[in-house]
Amino acid sequence: MTTPSIDIDKYNRCVEDIGLLLQRTVRICQLFEREQIKVHGFTSSQCYILLEILKNGPLTINEISTKMNLEISTITRIMDNLVRDQFLVRNRLLHDKRVVEAALTDKGLLAANKLRASISDYYKNVISHLPPGHVREVMSAVELLLTAVEQANRQGE
């Protein structure tokens, strides 16, 4: 029994097509972020810090760094502005004074809820443009793609 040979030209076209689709998706999402988030006066990174804390409750700087895949120094710099503008407060943990935790202020909670609603409205609009009955199919395909990208990224580490 012989194994069918892969048509290398078709494979290369597929690789190129996937690359172009991913690049286009990333660009569109970045534009969305800028447009949807900047109207609230935040950068994308500030927005996602606020949303992570809204979703999880108070988080340490290390936890935020891990969730956002950014260096601690970058998270600290971003958080400095959020603390300065009174969206976040920093608290030292009682059981370990070396660890700093970030929590939303009332102003931060209000802003994070507005951001979450704005982003949710955008994705509702996206879903409304999918063919009826295909939402689950699209979600499954995106999950497969995300898993493949994450696995490829882990291999590169």
Side-chain angles (χ1 to χ4, degrees):
M1 197 160 134
T2 60
T3 310
S5 63
I6 297 173
D7 182 341
I8 197 72
D9 289 336
K10 284 183 182 179
Y11 177 77
N12 287 337
R13 277 194 302 276
C14 185
V15 168
E16 187 176 324
D17 290 346
I18 286 287
L20 291 172
L21 282 171
L22 279 171
Q23 289 171 8
R24 184 172 169 213
T25 302
V26 167
R27 276 195 299 274
I28 289 170
C29 288
Q30 287 172 335
L31 289 173
F32 146 73
E33 286 180 349
R34 286 188 201 117
E35 295 306 312
Q36 294 297 313
I37 293 169
K38 79 176 181 184
V39 298
H40 296 281
F42 295 101
T43 66
S44 296
S45 296
Q46 289 173 328
C47 169
Y48 290 112
I49 286 175
L50 293 173
L51 292 177
E52 282 296 333
I53 296 171
L54 177 65
K55 183 170 79 174
N56 297 291
L59 294 170
T60 66
I61 294 171
N62 284 342
E63 290 169 330
I64 295 168
S65 171
T66 300
K67 288 180 180 297
M68 293 186 60
N69 200 25
L70 292 172
E71 296 293 324
I72 291 173
S73 60
T74 302
I75 296 297
T76 301
R77 215 171 29 257
I78 295 165
M79 283 180 50
D80 285 344
N81 292 331
L82 292 169
V83 169
R84 179 199 66 208
D85 296 337
Q86 300 177 338
F87 293 104
L88 292 180
V89 292
R90 286 188 178 114
N91 299 309
R92 296 213 176 264
L93 296 184
L94 293 176
H95 64 278
D96 188 348
K97 299 284 185 195
R98 295 170 297 173
V99 179
V100 176
E101 193 175 64
L104 295 171
T105 62
D106 289 341
K107 181 179 176 181
L109 180 62
L110 182 65
N113 279 316
K114 284 182 181 178
L115 286 163
R116 182 175 60 186
S118 179
I119 290 168
S120 179
D121 288 346
Y122 176 79
Y123 287 120
K124 285 176 189 172
N125 188 18
V126 169
I127 288 172
S128 76
H129 288 86
L130 292 173
H134 289 276
V135 173
R136 289 276 172 221
E137 182 182 331
V138 170
M139 285 176 59
S140 293
V142 171
E143 284 175 357
L144 285 171
L145 182 59
L146 253 164
T147 299
V149 169
E150 287 170 344
Q151 289 172 347
N153 286 344
R154 272 186 246 130
Q155 277 183 335
E157 292 176 351

